[in-house]
Amino acid sequence: MISAINWFPGHMAKTRREIKENLKLVDAVIEIRDSRIVQSSANPEINTICKDKPRIILLNKCDLSEEKVTKAWINTLSKDNVRALAINSLNGIGLKNIKGELDNLLKEKIDRLKQKGVMNVIIRVMVVGIPNVGKSSFINKMAKNTAAKIGDKPGVTRTKQWIKTKIGIELMDTPGVLWPKFEEKKVGLNLAFTGAIKDEIMDVEELALNLVERLQKYYPNRLMERYKLDSLDETALENMENIARKRGAIISKGNIDYNRVAVMLLDEFRGGKLGPISLERPKQ
């Protein structure tokens, strides 16, 4: 069941230990989250583990979330030695702002080094984030090469790597980290909707049904526009079946091909074909 997700492979426990051990090697931490699910895509342990390090929180895939909601998250998350920025690691939007924010966060240290005669200060940064938030794509874009292996499956990056950039930043890559248990069903659902959890361990039909239920509540017009529905029925199942008929997801004797329509719904949501959608908002 989606409400009982418990996924904590051994390599993730190892990564948690590595983060603690390697913090002394870096000046700051870059944490990458999914801008559509800012809270759900945060590893709760990062706040504790990295509390004494300057940190930049990058809200990735900002083209897939509502701009006004993302701006509200930036205002909420930016405080003390933490800054938040909206980025798109595929096309590079927002990446040019990172160096300036790091310089501001590390101003005292940089000034001390320059007073000692170090003019070209190299900032060393650890990059952390849960699987499938775009960490490897971010590193590749910053390095402008294919230094970090990219894969379609969550958690493909396995070992620590150092990657140099041309703007005076060195990045330490780490595998994606998830925490032992999702205390709230909604968190698990959000991660599954966006693909942070492998579809292979999910019931995709149930997952898609939950997605339709969420969208018909918060984005009803998007559903109707995308799937050419004149109106929405009361239940998510009825709406999912109507979408299936519109898209021809039908098997013998006019029955619904639930797996086909489920996969299609999830793919189109993840690909942004329903428009910018924010599944979480900061508390007012």
Side-chain angles (χ1 to χ4, degrees), residues 38-283:
V38 174
Q39 197 64 44
S40 294
S41 60
N43 186 323
E45 296 185 357
I46 294 298
N47 281 335
T48 301
I49 296 171
C50 303
K51 64 180 179 180
D52 296 324
K53 285 286 181 180
R55 180 164 38 126
I56 293 181
I57 300 173
L58 300 180
L59 306 184
N60 194 25
K61 308 179 184 181
C62 64
D63 56 314
L64 300 180
S65 62
E66 285 193 73
E67 185 177 1
K68 64 179 181 180
V69 178
T70 301
K71 285 181 177 179
W73 275 114
I74 289 171
N75 292 333
T76 299
L77 295 171
S78 297
K79 56 186 177 182
D80 299 329
N81 67 337
V82 178
R83 300 290 185 273
L85 296 170
I87 69 159
N88 182 326
S89 62
L90 292 178
N91 61 23
I93 288 176
L95 298 190
K96 67 179 186 295
N97 300 321
I98 294 173
K99 180 62 163 60
E101 291 293 354
L102 283 172
D103 287 345
N104 290 332
L105 286 170
L106 298 166
K107 186 178 186 306
E108 290 185 12
K109 182 173 184 176
I110 293 172
D111 287 346
R112 285 198 306 270
L113 288 171
K114 287 186 175 180
Q115 287 172 5
K116 294 178 180 179
V118 181
M119 291 297 102
N120 297 318
V121 178
I122 301 298
I123 299 173
R124 307 193 90 186
V125 179
M126 180 187 293
V127 183
V128 300
I130 70 169
N132 213 34
V133 289
K135 191 154 57 69
S136 294
S137 298
F138 161 73
I139 290 172
N140 289 342
K141 198 70 175 180
M142 290 289 286
K144 295 186 178 179
N145 59 31
T146 55
K149 181 182 178 183
I150 296 179
D152 293 329
K153 300 300 182 182
V156 74
T157 308
R158 298 297 186 193
T159 58
K160 180 180 67 179
Q161 302 179 64
W162 280 104
I163 297 94
K164 294 183 178 180
T165 72
K166 297 179 180 179
I167 56 174
I169 301 173
E170 289 188 1
L171 305 171
M172 178 195 288
D173 188 21
T174 55
V177 180
L178 281 176
W179 52 103
K181 186 178 181 181
F182 310 122
E183 299 298 336
E184 297 181 24
K185 178 181 178 181
K186 194 171 184 179
V187 172
L189 282 172
N190 286 340
L191 290 165
F193 290 153
T194 57
I197 299 170
K198 296 179 181 179
D199 284 341
E200 288 88 337
I201 67 170
M202 308 298 300
D203 181 332
V204 294
E205 294 174 20
E206 181 185 355
L207 181 61
L209 187 63
N210 277 276
L211 177 61
V212 172
E213 185 175 38
R214 186 83 66 85
L215 293 177
Q216 72 183 36
K217 181 177 181 180
Y218 295 106
Y219 294 94
N221 291 335
R222 300 276 182 82
L223 275 178
M224 289 189 290
E225 290 170 9
R226 178 65 187 172
Y227 300 110
K228 296 179 172 56
L229 303 174
D230 294 329
S231 61
L232 292 179
D233 287 325
E234 185 174 347
T235 70
L237 180 59
E238 290 173 310
N239 290 319
M240 187 169 168
E241 290 175 342
N242 290 336
I243 291 170
R245 294 186 185 96
K246 286 286 187 179
R247 287 300 182 89
I250 305 296
I251 52 179
S252 62
K253 298 181 180 178
N255 293 317
I256 302 295
D257 188 339
Y258 290 99
N259 184 263
R260 181 180 168 191
V261 69
V263 170
M264 180 270 296
L265 280 163
L266 291 169
D267 284 348
E268 294 200 354
F269 166 73
R270 292 168 183 169
K273 293 183 179 178
L274 280 80
I277 289 174
S278 295
L279 294 178
E280 292 182 322
R281 287 162 170 74
K283 293 180 180 179

